[in-house]
Amino acid sequence: MENKIYTIKDIAHMAGVSAGTVDRVLHDRGEVSEASLRKVQTVLKEIDYHPNMFAIGLAAKKKYCFICLIPSYTEGDYWHSVSEGIERAARELRPFNVTISYIKYTHADEESYKEACNTLQESKADAVLIAPNFREQTLSLAQHLKELAIPYAFIDFNMEGAEALKYIGQDSYMSGYIAAKILMRDYKAGQELVFFLGNNRDNPAEIQMERRMDGFMKYISDEYPGVKVLEFVLNKTDTACDRRMLNEFFATHPKATFGVVFNSRVYQVGNYLRESNKRMDALIGYDLLQKNVELLKSGEVKYLIGQRPALQGYQGIKALCEHLVFKNPVMPVKYMPIDILMKENIDFYFEFE
Amino acid sequence: MENKIYTIKDIAHMAGVSAGTVDRVLHDRGEVSEASLRKVQTVLKEIDYHPNMFAIGLAAKKKYCFICLIPSYTEGDYWHSVSEGIERAARELRPFNVTISYIKYTHADEESYKEACNTLQESKADAVLIAPNFREQTLSLAQHLKELAIPYAFIDFNMEGAEALKYIGQDSYMSGYIAAKILMRDYKAGQELVFFLGNNRDNPAEIQMERRMDGFMKYISDEYPGVKVLEFVLNKTDTACDRRMLNEFFATHPKATFGVVFNSRVYQVGNYLRESNKRMDALIGYDLLQKNVELLKSGEVKYLIGQRPALQGYQGIKALCEHLVFKNPVMPVKYMPIDILMKENIDFYFEFE
DNA sequence: CTGTTAGCGCGTTCAA
DNA sequence: TTGAACGCGCTAACAG
């Protein structure tokens, strides 16, 4: 357990070779005789050598170009948080000559995704962070990257079959299960449940929602098997239409006072409630979008489940960097915590700092 | 929004002085004429200069000695987590010549704390991280440090009146309020509440418990004003005694099925329940000690409130470093998130990585 | 008061 | 195949 910090010079001295040779061995870029190689390796085995990161950062001339394939976003939405995490990683890694750029696509728009994938294939990246969308394009992209030995990581959603360096995201099934467990605390016999769903069922991102639903239903069927579950499809954009439909829905289902929104747009329901001066007994949703958080504070939304989007972006980039730049091993899967937020603890919540 | 990365040389060039002078200005260690000072400051105001941390790390010769005054601990307990965070910070900061050492005391033991404070005053530290215990000694220690201009930060518990560089911890009142809100979900009329309390009321750490209790009672009196609340004092060490007393307690109070432990020793109650093959309808406690987590998983404990001890240690050290080494401004207060853990999300929980 | 200079540890030439 | 030499950006010591 020596505490001494060894430098390349130390190793060179001990092995009886020069620093240059040690460096060649460490980065095995050949041009080293068998004899020197063995001498250096012997020394390396004996000591606990950790290169000085600061010297590496300072000296490195190699530029790394990371590209992120993520949905485009507006201020305060989910992918905005992801990009904040990415930006944070970018700042930390800038001294290592890592530069990060983006290729954005429209979420759930197949044409847009396809185009983005193509753009990515044409650009030359050293590593890629992907928020996957459509399966087929993703797999073909993964294939292409694998052939070029370009490491790639997935965030948010794991595309089975495309073996990425790393997947970072939440266990959707369990987060659905927890949503149910939290929500049903307030349940009293006779009340009905509403699932507010998105209207684009062809969307691959719906797979995630469905896993959440499965988890949710698992809890319901275990603990509250008799509960009546209604479904209401929210229009992604047409608020006026939603409003009419919701009015009608709540008029015809007066007992439907427990709501779940499986995507991150619980604000659609929350805003409706606020505007029409209604309340549900309990409404739960996902993700801490600004709009969602406001409604949590004002009470229309009772619970939010957080999945640390910024941390996902941050860790995704860091993982690629660990692998590519620092040559450190990387765990293939990292599940994010399932954070439970209510009016009372939302103010103390943060992902960083 | 220029993206250019400026170096000291750039600044020197722009200001028409030498790099040495710029360095003197940046670290205001005098020996600079009014004229040069102004020229450099003008340039600094115009550009967005961030020194290259790697160069700093590589070049710095100054040694920094940080000392942590914290309770001694055993594997898996609360202060062990804190120290893990500190160690993580230590690893990150080692290249900046920051070394971290500890002075430990026995929690809630006034003599031990006094002695530790004295040891600290005699040792020469460049910065100090304090987990405060007894008020009087803490204030006098703070006074001493202030006179020597040694920065100090508090974690876990804020000692009012001793103006530290930073306080990092949880809002105890709110975390008590949340504990009540969570616990009472399962409440059914007629059931009784038990507060399991520690037996050393003279302990200053009890102040924190009391704030939690206040928050808890605030919720109870707002939402369940009629609930009967019982108290049970746990012996810190004498398990056999506790066991007898608990048997008697539960025998005489069959409706007392809702429990709260305001300190981190919910495992005392949980283990009793497990051993005597009992269950309470709901039991909530604080802190993710190994023992607590096990009981959460096996069901004797239903909820745990987490307060990120490791992050507290980590951020405490980092704050001192930001202030002392990097000369960056530091926010005086940082509240930790109030994490809600249940059997279902405990496996995904982590403070780092 | 100011400019110059010598490293910090490592990556990368370039001669030998 | 190797070693020596330079520079990354910054700090600190030194000479002017």
Side-chain angles (χ1 to χ4, degrees), chain A residues 3 5 50 52-58 92 94-96 171 174 177-178 181-182 185-186 219 302-303 308 311 315 331 334-345 348-353, chain B residues 3 5 50 52-58 92 94-96 171 174 177-178 181-182 185-186 219 302-303 308 311 315 331 334-345 348-353:
Chain A
N3 237 342
I5 295 176
H50 294 282
N52 184 319
M53 283 304 157
F54 297 87
I56 293 179
L58 201 54
E92 279 184 25
R94 194 176 47 179
F96 290 104
D171 182 319
M174 200 47 100
Y177 188 91
I178 286 185
K181 182 164 173 180
I182 301 277
R185 282 305 138 55
D186 302 292
Y219 182 84
K302 203 153 179 182
Y303 309 102
R308 311 233 184 152
L311 199 58
Q315 292 198 359
M331 291 287 103
K334 180 69 177 183
Y335 286 112
M336 288 291 110
I338 299 173
D339 291 321
I340 300 165
L341 282 311
M342 311 183 301
K343 187 196 290 220
E344 289 82 6
N345 64 347
F348 304 112
Y349 186 78
F350 58 85
E351 286 192 58
F352 285 120
E353 251 182 303
Chain B
N3 239 342
I5 296 176
H50 295 280
N52 184 317
M53 287 302 160
F54 299 87
I56 293 179
L58 199 54
E92 281 184 26
R94 194 176 47 182
F96 292 103
D171 182 319
M174 198 50 97
Y177 188 92
I178 287 185
K181 184 166 173 178
I182 302 275
R185 281 306 137 54
D186 303 292
Y219 182 84
K302 202 152 179 182
Y303 309 102
R308 312 236 183 148
L311 199 58
Q315 292 198 0
M331 291 286 103
K334 181 70 179 182
Y335 285 112
M336 288 291 111
I338 299 172
D339 291 319
I340 301 165
L341 283 311
M342 310 183 303
K343 185 196 289 218
E344 289 84 6
N345 64 348
F348 303 112
Y349 186 78
F350 58 85
E351 288 193 59
F352 284 120
E353 252 183 300

Side-chain angles (χ1 to χ4, degrees), chain A residues 292-304:
Chain A
N292 291 351
V293 168
E294 277 169 33
L295 290 158
L296 185 70
K297 289 185 184 175
S298 59
E300 284 82 6
V301 174
K302 203 153 179 182
Y303 309 102
L304 285 175

Side-chain angles (χ1 to χ4, degrees), chain A residues 99-119:
Chain A
T99 58
I100 296 182
S101 55
Y102 297 87
I103 295 175
K104 290 183 184 151
Y105 62 88
T106 305
H107 189 64
D109 174 336
E110 188 155 9
E111 265 318 302
S112 161
Y113 187 66
K114 198 179 286 182
E115 198 184 312
C117 287
N118 288 336
T119 311

